[in-house]
Amino acid sequence: MGIPKALLLAILGCGVCLCSAAVLAARELGGDDELAMVARHEQWMVQHGRVYKDETDKAHRFLVFKANVKFIESFNAAAAAGNRKFWLGVNQFADLTNDEFRATKTNKGFNPNVVKVPTGFRYQNLSIDALPQTVDWRTKGAVTPIKDQGQCGCCWAFSAVAATEGIVKISTGKLTSLSEQELVDCDVHGEDQGCNGGEMDDAFKFIIKNGGLTTESNYPYTAQDGQCKSGSNGAATIKGYEDVPANDEAALMKAVASQPVSVAVDGGDMTFQFYSGGVMTGSCGTDLDHGIAAIGYGKTSDGTKYWLMKNSWGTTWGENGFLRMEKDIADKKGMCGLAMQPSYPTA
Ligand SMILES: *[C@@H]1O[C@H](CO)[C@@H](O)[C@H](O)[C@H]1NC(C)=O
C-alpha cells in the first residue's frame, strides 16, 4: 500500500484541500487507505491547530500519525473483541512518537531512591468497611476544572496543586484555583526543577515554607520556566503533608475517601498516551514519571473497581481530562505504580 515518498510529499503539499491530480495518482497506486489517512491527518491538524514548519516535517509527522492511528485502531479492535475495559483515541498526541511524548509530557522520572522522612498517616485507623462505596470529589466541589500543562514537564506541580486545592476547599469551604507557575518559577529545592521535573512532597514543603500558594489568576500558567515573581499572597495555606503507606491500596482508599491525593504513576506507555475512556487495566510499567491526583474511586456496573484520577493534559485527553484506573490489583504497587508514592497536604 506504500506510495513513493515524492508522491506522498505532493499529496501532503496540497494543504487542506486534496488536489485532484494527487488524488487520482494515489488511486492508481491503490492508495485509497493512504488518501483517507492523509485527509484524516489534515483534519486532525485543523482540529488541534497544528502547523508544521515545512513539508519535510509534515511528511515525517504524517508517518508518525499513521503509525499511531494503526496502533490505536488495532488496540480498539482487540478491545471490542475481547474483554479489555478501556479504549484509545486519536488525541492531541497523535503525531508524537512515544519517545517524544515521554520527553515532553512526563517527568524526567521520579527518583526511586528518594528518602522519605516518616510522616505519620492520620487516616490509618479509619475502617475500610465504613468508607463510602463511591467517592467523587468533583461532586463535593473540591476539584477545579481540568488544566493543561502544555510542553512543560511540571506534572508534579499540577498534581500537588490539585491535592492542595482539595484540602483547602475541604478545610475552608472555598474552592480556589491555585498557581502551578509559582511552583515552577519559585520552588527550586530538592527534586523540583520547574519544567524539568519535580516531586509532589517537595512542592508541599515549598508551599509550607513559602507561607502558602497564590491563586492561578494572580500568577497565571505560562508553560515555561520563568523568573520567580514571589507572587504569594497566602491565598492557600497548608500545615504539612503526609505520605500514604507505600504499596497499600487499602491505605490509599482511606486517604482518597478523606481528600484528593497526589499520586505518581508510570504515564509513559502508549496506552497512557492515547487513553480515551473506560477503566485502564492490564499491563503497565511502574517507572514513575508522571504526577496526577486521585480524586475518587468507585465500581463499574460490571464490577470493575477503579480509581478516579485528574490529569493535566487538557480536556481532549481521556474522559474529558479525567482517567479511571483499575483498583485493588494483585500487584501491590498498583496499576502503573499508583500505590507507590501517594501523598497529601494537611490543613
Ligand atoms: C490508631 O490507633 C492506635 C491504637 O488505638 C493508636 O495508638 C494510634 O495513635 C492511632 N493512630 C492514629 C493516626 O490515630
Side-chain angles (χ1 to χ4, degrees):
M1 200 68 65
I3 57 176
K5 200 172 171 210
L7 177 58
L8 185 59
L9 286 172
I11 295 171
L12 293 172
C14 292
V16 178
C17 68
L18 292 167
C19 46
S20 58
V23 170
L24 288 174
R27 282 258 160 75
E28 273 166 29
L29 289 163
D32 276 0
D33 285 0
E34 195 77 7
L35 266 185
M37 193 64 82
V38 168
R40 195 162 170 187
H41 184 222
E42 295 283 356
Q43 196 183 28
W44 177 90
M45 284 175 63
V46 172
Q47 189 187 342
H48 295 283
R50 195 74 90 250
V51 177
Y52 299 117
K53 68 177 192 299
D54 54 33
E55 291 304 320
T56 311
D57 187 31
K58 186 172 173 186
H60 169 63
R61 287 294 146 201
F62 170 75
L63 293 178
V64 174
F65 177 84
K66 182 168 78 167
N68 283 334
V69 169
K70 301 231 146 147
F71 170 81
I72 291 162
E73 286 180 347
S74 75
F75 181 96
N76 288 345
N83 61 356
R84 263 185 201 148
K85 298 178 191 308
F86 71 109
W87 48 94
L88 309 181
V90 181
N91 60 21
Q92 71 266 38
F93 306 132
D95 71 343
L96 296 179
T97 66
N98 187 243
D99 282 345
E100 291 166 335
F101 168 76
R102 282 168 195 260
T104 58
K105 300 315 292 188
T106 59
N107 236 341
K108 292 287 176 263
F110 284 68
N111 181 358
N113 305 316
V114 73
V115 180
K116 297 269 181 193
V117 180
T119 58
F121 179 48
R122 65 186 53 203
Y123 303 124
Q124 189 66 53
N125 293 343
L126 293 184
S127 155
I128 287 281
D129 296 335
L131 299 180
Q133 299 269 312
T134 306
V135 169
D136 182 345
W137 282 106
R138 293 175 300 189
T139 64
K140 304 236 169 60
V143 181
T144 59
I146 289 289
K147 304 181 186 186
D148 191 346
Q149 69 186 75
Q151 307 289 320
C152 167
C154 64
C155 52
W156 58 276
F158 283 86
S159 170
V161 163
T164 302
E165 288 168 346
I167 193 62
V168 168
K169 157 68 187 173
I170 291 166
S171 61
T172 69
K174 217 170 142 240
L175 180 67
T176 308
S177 186
L178 301 174
S179 174
E180 291 79 16
Q181 196 64 42
E182 186 176 11
L183 287 170
V184 170
D185 293 352
C186 307
D187 174 15
V188 285
H189 84 290
E191 301 286 328
D192 294 351
Q193 306 162 32
C195 292
N196 285 322
E199 297 207 351
M200 287 79 87
D201 281 1
D202 285 336
F204 298 141
K205 284 179 206 162
F206 170 83
I207 297 170
I208 297 161
K209 210 172 119 246
N210 192 47
L213 195 63
T214 194
T215 61
E216 188 82 68
S217 56
N218 194 40
Y219 202 144
Y221 188 60
T222 64
Q224 56 193 6
D225 293 311
Q227 197 81 43
C228 176
K229 292 190 258 298
S230 82
S232 204
N233 54 6
T237 57
I238 57 174
K239 288 209 178 75
Y241 73 93
E242 292 179 350
D243 293 322
V244 177
N247 306 323
D248 183 347
E249 287 192 77
L252 182 56
M253 187 175 173
K254 294 176 188 178
V256 175
S258 309
Q259 64 179 97
V261 173
S262 286
V263 164
V265 294
D266 184 332
D269 287 7
M270 282 182 88
T271 46
F272 219 99
Q273 182 175 355
F274 298 119
Y275 167 82
S276 170
V279 178
M280 189 184 277
T281 57
S283 69
C284 188
T286 56
D287 294 324
L288 306 180
D289 62 5
H290 187 47
I292 55 179
I295 57 153
Y297 57 80
K299 199 194 270 189
T300 63
S301 51
D302 75 356
T304 308
K305 289 194 274 181
Y306 63 83
W307 293 108
L308 177 62
M309 304 291 196
K310 184 189 191 192
N311 201 358
S312 52
W313 293 344
T315 54
T316 54
W317 181 90
E319 296 183 322
N320 297 314
F322 295 92
L323 155 73
R324 287 178 293 160
M325 304 175 78
E326 193 175 13
K327 178 173 173 285
D328 298 339
I329 66 171
D331 185 348
K332 293 281 176 241
K333 290 175 176 173
M335 185 79 197
C336 304
L338 64 85
M340 292 168 73
Q341 289 190 17
S343 61
Y344 52 86
T346 59

